[in-house]
């Protein structure tokens, strides 16, 4: 069985962590063959650090590399659309960091392009591929906590000094950067059902992007998701799924979970140790989405059954409505 050959688009912090995560997988199954940055020197530095054979000073060169099977897109939010479309048009499969687009219209454009070109496209919501997330699915299917009634999730970190989180032209936004993890969890638990109503309230930063917000998603049969996010301070960063017969708790860093508490009983899901220093929490867990992409490609799939195009479109439909209620808009929102 041949290796999946990865190309890496951008030499940023998340790309570094993705590369470290790939090293925890069998090298005969995952190979990084090229990396591109808008600055050739950065690509060359990453290539040296991570033993990558080829470094490019443009994304267009990466798109034309015949050795690349799938491209991991780790650029900042506003560049997801143009970068992803570049690779799709070149016939490359794409794993693009979240949020897939700045809005639902961009997501629709990418999905349409991928389908027309017949290539694989997935939004990199790594949370969905952790063993703990798979365990949640099996617990819910088995009815361990009965019928789900309420999902709670909160994500807060002090990020107001990070330009990509607060500057509009860089795609800054509390909900687009971290709040979307809460939204995707609710969408996952409620099996991709569209909420009957969305209520959002929060406050904006001086730059006009949201810095704190709370979201209530109301679903059929009197079920709710209650979600809070903030760039202003650290929150407990936990989540819970409450049903008619019990509770599943995800304590600490629920978006990259290593632990569950199921009706009071603790379950552990340890991660492989990284071979190099990481930029973000539990980033070796990026290995799970990478392996999922490989399995999809081996099966000839054009989208993931776990994080489908419809899943991405639902998440972005909700994010658009949240931003609308909070009063956050971008140049990309103009028709």
């Amino acid at each position: 069985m041949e290796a999946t050959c990865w190309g890496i688009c951008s030499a940023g912090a998340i790309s570094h962590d993705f590369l470290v995560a790939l090293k925890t997988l069998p090298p005969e199954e995952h190979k990084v063959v090229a990396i591109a940055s808008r600055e050739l020197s950065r690509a060359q530095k990453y290539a040296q650090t991570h033993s990558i054979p080829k470094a490019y000073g443009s994304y267009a060169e990466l798109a034309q590399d015949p050795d690349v099977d799938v491209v991991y897109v780790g650029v900042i939010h506003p560049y997801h659309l143009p970068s992803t479309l570049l690779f799709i048009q070149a016939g490359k499969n794409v794993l693009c960091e979240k949020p897939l687009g700045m809005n639902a219209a961009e997501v629709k454009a990418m999905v349409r392009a991928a389908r027309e070109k017949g290539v694989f496209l997935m939004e990199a919501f790594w949370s969905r591929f952790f063993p703990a997330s798979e365990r949640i699915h099996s617990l819910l299917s088995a009815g361990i906590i009965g019928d789900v009634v309420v999902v709670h999730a909160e994500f807060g970190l002090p990020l107001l000094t990070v330009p990509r989180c607060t500057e509009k032209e860089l795609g800054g936004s509390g909900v687009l950067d971290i709040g979307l993890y809460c939204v995707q969890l609710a969408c996952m638990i409620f099996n991709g059902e569209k909420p009957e109503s969305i209520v959002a309230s929060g406050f904006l930063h001086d730059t006009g992007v949201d810095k704190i917000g709370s979201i209530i998603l109301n679903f059929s049969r009197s079920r709710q998701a209650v979600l809070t996010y903030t760039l202003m301070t650290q929150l407990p960063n936990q989540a819970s799924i409450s049903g008619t017969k019990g509770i599943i708790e995800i304590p600490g860093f629920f978006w990259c979970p290593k632990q569950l508490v199921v009706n009071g009983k603790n379950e552990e899901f340890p991660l492989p140790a990284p071979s190099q220093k990481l930029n973000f929490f539990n980033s070796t867990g990026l290995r799970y989405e990478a392996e999922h992409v490989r399995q999809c490609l081996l099966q000839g799939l054009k989208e993931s059954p776990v994080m489908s195009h419809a899943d991405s479109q639902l998440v972005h439909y909700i994010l658009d409505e949240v931003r609308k209620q909070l009063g956050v808009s971008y140049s990309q929102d103009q028709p």
Side-chain angles (χ1 to χ4, degrees):
M1 196 179 292
E2 291 185 5
T4 299
C5 293
W6 291 88
I8 307 297
C9 173
S10 94
I14 190 61
S15 292
H16 166 83
D17 285 14
F18 187 78
L19 288 163
V20 174
L22 284 178
K23 292 171 190 173
T24 68
L25 293 165
E28 67 273 13
E29 295 181 2
H30 293 266
K31 290 183 179 178
V32 181
V33 297
I35 183 167
S37 170
R38 288 178 297 173
E39 296 177 38
L40 179 60
S41 60
R42 283 183 64 84
Q44 290 171 331
K45 181 180 178 182
Y46 266 53
Q48 185 175 12
T49 301
H50 297 285
S51 302
I52 302 169
K54 289 176 279 190
Y56 298 120
S58 74
Y59 302 151
E61 290 174 278
L62 180 63
Q64 296 306 317
D65 189 322
D67 297 328
V68 172
D69 298 322
V70 54
V71 179
Y72 171 77
V73 176
V75 296
I76 60 173
H77 304 165
Y79 296 104
H80 286 183
L81 176 69
S83 302
T84 295
L85 289 180
L86 172 70
F87 296 118
I88 287 173
Q89 294 305 327
K92 300 299 185 190
N93 301 298
V94 177
L95 171 64
C96 179
E97 265 306 333
K98 52 79 204 162
L100 185 54
M102 289 295 294
N103 54 38
E106 290 196 350
V107 172
K108 187 176 180 180
M110 283 183 262
V111 167
R112 183 172 60 247
R115 288 177 175 166
E116 288 175 355
K117 205 67 180 174
V119 298
F120 177 86
L121 171 66
M122 189 182 91
E123 185 172 15
F125 264 119
W126 63 320
S127 311
R128 293 207 174 189
F129 305 97
F130 276 71
S133 297
E134 294 182 357
R135 176 66 172 152
I136 289 171
H137 278 295
S138 63
L139 289 166
L140 294 179
S141 296
I144 298 299
I145 63 165
D147 297 324
V148 175
V149 180
V150 177
V151 172
H152 275 107
E154 57 186 14
F155 192 160
L157 291 172
L159 297 172
L160 290 181
T161 58
V162 180
R164 67 169 181 80
C165 293
T166 57
E167 298 298 329
K168 251 191 184 184
E169 62 271 21
L170 300 181
S173 162
V175 76
L176 290 186
D177 198 68
I178 59 177
L180 79 180
Y181 280 111
C182 302
V183 172
Q184 82 80 26
L185 177 70
C187 292
M188 182 183 88
I189 300 306
F190 290 118
N191 292 315
E193 181 181 325
K194 189 175 182 179
E196 292 184 339
S197 65
I198 300 166
V199 181
S201 180
F203 294 97
L204 304 186
H205 190 270
D206 294 341
T207 58
V209 306
D210 51 311
K211 62 181 179 179
I212 184 171
S214 290
I215 305 165
I216 298 176
L217 304 177
N218 291 310
F219 292 89
S220 63
R221 305 196 304 281
S222 305
R223 298 168 299 154
Q224 276 192 334
V226 183
L227 318 170
T228 301
Y229 67 90
T230 180
L231 302 174
M232 299 170 66
T233 188
Q234 180 148 344
L235 296 178
N237 291 328
Q238 56 199 8
S240 62
I241 306 157
S242 301
T244 53
K245 296 179 181 177
I247 300 175
I248 300 170
E249 298 169 82
I250 315 172
F253 309 142
F254 76 87
W255 61 94
C256 47
K258 296 196 297 183
Q259 180 186 8
L260 297 177
V261 181
V262 184
N263 292 334
K265 294 182 180 179
N266 194 51
E267 298 186 12
E268 300 284 345
F269 303 86
L271 290 171
S275 57
Q276 289 159 274
K277 187 177 178 182
L278 296 169
N279 295 300
F280 303 105
F281 304 114
N282 298 346
S283 281
T284 50
L286 291 164
R287 72 197 301 268
Y288 302 117
E289 70 176 1
E291 177 58 23
H292 178 77
V293 169
R294 171 174 164 79
Q295 294 305 318
C296 287
L297 296 179
L298 289 174
Q299 295 171 52
L301 301 179
K302 303 306 179 187
E303 63 179 298
S304 162
V306 178
M307 188 67 211
S308 68
H309 296 163
D311 290 328
S312 291
Q313 289 171 322
L314 175 60
V315 168
H316 283 267
Y317 159 77
I318 294 170
L319 297 179
D320 279 6
E321 180 59 28
V322 168
R323 287 196 299 110
K324 181 181 177 183
Q325 292 187 27
L326 295 180
V328 179
S329 63
Y330 300 93
S331 59
Q332 291 89 345
D333 296 323
Q334 304 308 313

